[in-house]
Amino acid sequence: MRPGAAGTLKAVFLFFASMCAWYSGYLLAELIPDVSLSSAVYSIRSIGERPVLRAPAPKRQKCDIWTSCPPNTYAYRLLSGGGRDKYAKICFEDELLIGEKTRNVARGINIAIVNYATGKVIATQYFDMYEGDNSGPMTNFIQSAPPNSLLLMVTHDDGSSRLKEDAKKAIEALGSKEVRNMQFRSSWVFLTAKGFELPAGIEREKINHSDNSRNRYSGWPAEVQIEGCIPKEPS
């Protein structure tokens, strides 16, 4: 074969091979779905790795308490104020009765009265115990609670400076063991019932005194909290 003819044949062969390679690449690109380079690299690296088992997120409980309440019980959570800006809260059956969001919390003693039979709030009120003469009105508010009521009390900031004897007796008559121990800016929470007895195992009162050597906030102690489940039938 002449050299010129051989060169021409070789050029035709190379052109034909190039066209076949291009067409094969075109078909491959159409058949394989679009995948980014980073995804492809990650997929290759993931081959042989053990699957990661992720625990499901914990289910939220009523009033954000730690454990779920059984049927025929009320969930409750009482949280005292912390410092000047962390407001006290009273939650009952997942309803915020007193708190910053409901705009009915203030310095002093904050009280909610709940109908035990229905679980619905009857009244809420706060009483400033640092300024003004509010101990008497608070005593009247507590004594006005109808029979078969739950009373939930929390302090914010200071709840003791102007707390008088009549109010202490009224709270003490409802079973408080700590109301006479309250000091300036003590954190205090109290749950009680009027007209019936709560079960012995119910968490119902807690207090924490201000101590500059261990206060969480400048001039204020850490918050205190009680929570739990109240049977809907009296014991």
Side-chain angles (χ1 to χ4, degrees), residues 105-196:
V105 62
R107 179 178 62 190
I109 298 178
N110 298 260
I111 305 175
I113 302 174
V114 173
N115 184 312
Y116 175 66
T118 65
K120 300 300 182 182
V121 63
I122 297 173
T124 64
Q125 188 60 267
Y126 55 82
F127 301 91
D128 192 345
M129 289 295 140
Y130 186 75
E131 292 182 341
D133 186 9
N134 298 304
S135 191
M138 186 178 74
T139 303
N140 294 334
F141 182 77
I142 292 171
Q143 293 175 341
S144 71
N148 295 321
S149 296
L150 294 166
L151 289 91
L152 306 91
M153 309 183 192
V154 294
T155 57
H156 178 71
D157 194 350
D158 177 48
S160 67
S161 293
R162 293 180 178 268
L163 185 64
K164 295 183 179 179
E165 183 65 19
D166 57 346
K168 292 178 183 179
K169 285 182 178 180
I171 296 172
E172 198 171 43
L174 292 171
S176 173
K177 307 297 183 185
E178 300 288 356
V179 65
R180 292 190 179 274
N181 297 326
M182 285 178 61
Q183 302 170 10
F184 178 63
R185 288 181 175 172
S186 292
S187 294
W188 175 71
V189 293
F190 179 49
L191 166 68
T192 189
K194 184 176 181 180
F196 65 98

Side-chain angles (χ1 to χ4, degrees), residues 15-62:
F15 175 77
F16 181 74
S18 299
M19 291 298 294
C20 289
W22 174 84
Y23 188 67
S24 298
Y26 172 78
L27 288 178
L28 188 63
E30 289 295 318
L31 292 173
I32 298 177
D34 292 337
V35 178
S36 66
L37 179 60
S38 59
S39 298
V41 172
Y42 176 79
S43 299
I44 294 171
R45 289 179 177 176
S46 300
I47 296 174
E49 290 184 359
R50 294 180 179 179
V52 178
L53 300 178
R54 300 185 184 278
K59 182 180 179 182
R60 180 188 173 276
Q61 307 300 335
K62 290 180 179 180

